Amino acid sequence: ELNRLLLVSQGVASSLEMKDSVKPVLDAILSTGANSVRVVISPSILPDTPIELPSRFSLGPARDAYAHLDDQILALAQNEEKLVLPNLSRSREIELDPSLSQPLALLAVALRHENRYYGVVWAGFEQPRMFSDSDVRFVTTLAGQAALAVANAHLFLNVEASRRQLEAILNSTPDPVLVTDHRNRLLLANRAATQALDMPEGHGSGQSTEKTIRLKPLLALLQGTSSETQSAEIILPDKRTYLATASSVVVEGHNVGRVCIMRDVTYFKELDNMKS
């Protein structure tokens, strides 16, 4: 069991992908003799995104045969820390559909981290089983590791969902937008910026601005250290003129980067020249 717990803790720490980080937990519980082990995530913790995210993970010969019990067990585990049912046919806590496959014993533990309910991990057994205190402790310890994995993955999913939403918003903006960090590395260039500056999409992300931005006036704006907003006219090789405005991004009094927005003013420059 100690070896199993060591492998599980290493597996949980090795990935922020939920399916990868919970797999060692499922493997360890399956080794106790279960024929189905499932982790069911509460819908309330999944980020609000149009992309459907996986919320159920399973292992074992009957991994899908008992899936119809997920919702009942998820609801019960939210109020009860553990469900220990040595003989499911005699239990009144779970409603059984006789037309579907059923486990004959069940052990479920709530996934909680920092007082938040993330879901449940549960094991189904094909024969009635008297669970010892050691069995329950082992699965409870593994559930703690699973809760940590799910909590970390939940944070990652929220950050990733916010990043994708911001990226989608910026890519729908017709004005070029460039974002750098405090080390003058290019963090983000929206689609309009890559087109205007003739950069392959995604090129240069994470690299120094000196390696990715060829226009010296624009480079000077991005590398500026003034806390005040600065502007400059940028003339591109195709003779279009942009008014670039850059300002520092300050978080808790610290400069964490700069954001530059470029507006195409070619039309207004042409009008100005015609008046002259």
Side-chain angles (χ1 to χ4, degrees), residues 78-268:
Q78 187 164 8
N79 300 317
E80 301 179 34
E81 200 64 28
K82 301 182 188 72
L83 286 173
V84 183
L85 306 176
N87 192 333
L88 208 59
S89 61
R90 297 178 183 176
S91 171
R92 296 182 179 179
E93 293 185 73
I94 294 180
E95 295 182 10
L96 301 177
D97 185 341
S99 66
L100 300 173
S101 298
Q102 311 290 351
L104 292 184
L106 186 150
L107 176 57
V109 181
L111 301 179
R112 295 187 189 277
H113 184 69
E114 296 181 350
N115 297 322
R116 182 167 188 180
Y117 180 61
Y118 285 92
V120 64
V121 55
W122 70 274
F125 299 78
E126 59 184 347
Q127 296 297 329
R129 172 172 176 152
M130 291 302 298
F131 297 104
S132 66
D133 290 342
S134 177
D135 292 334
V136 177
R137 277 198 305 270
F138 182 57
V139 174
T140 301
T141 304
L142 291 169
Q145 292 289 329
L148 179 62
V150 172
N152 289 339
H154 169 251
L155 290 173
F156 174 73
L157 282 173
N158 275 305
V159 170
E160 182 64 12
S162 298
R163 187 193 67 79
R164 289 184 181 181
Q165 186 178 36
L166 176 62
E167 189 175 27
I169 292 169
L170 291 178
N171 278 332
S172 65
T173 303
D175 294 330
V177 179
L178 300 164
V179 181
T180 63
D181 66 7
H182 63 290
R183 295 180 179 174
N184 288 321
R185 293 177 301 190
L186 184 64
L187 293 182
L188 187 146
N190 69 347
R191 190 173 293 116
T194 58
Q195 291 172 352
L197 301 174
D198 195 24
M199 298 164 51
E201 197 164 337
H203 172 74
S205 181
Q207 293 187 18
S208 167
T209 51
E210 292 180 351
K211 295 181 179 179
T212 53
I213 305 297
R214 303 189 191 112
L215 299 169
K216 290 185 178 180
L218 179 58
L219 184 62
L221 271 183
L222 292 173
Q223 294 182 342
T225 57
S226 173
S227 59
E228 297 181 359
T229 299
Q230 297 174 305
S231 297
E233 282 191 0
I234 310 295
I235 301 176
L236 301 186
D238 61 4
K239 304 305 181 184
R240 283 181 299 159
T241 303
Y242 280 83
L243 178 63
T245 303
S247 56
S248 296
V249 180
V250 179
V251 177
E252 296 180 354
H254 298 285
N255 183 4
V256 297
R258 287 175 75 78
V259 59
C260 178
I261 300 174
M262 300 169 61
R263 175 150 296 181
D264 191 344
V265 294
T266 307
Y267 175 72
F268 300 104

Side-chain angles (χ1 to χ4, degrees), residues 54-76:
S55 61
R56 305 185 186 206
F57 310 92
S58 59
L59 279 181
R63 54 188 291 175
D64 298 321
Y66 304 156
H68 58 92
L69 296 174
D70 282 348
D71 292 336
Q72 285 192 69
I73 297 171
L74 184 67
L76 286 170

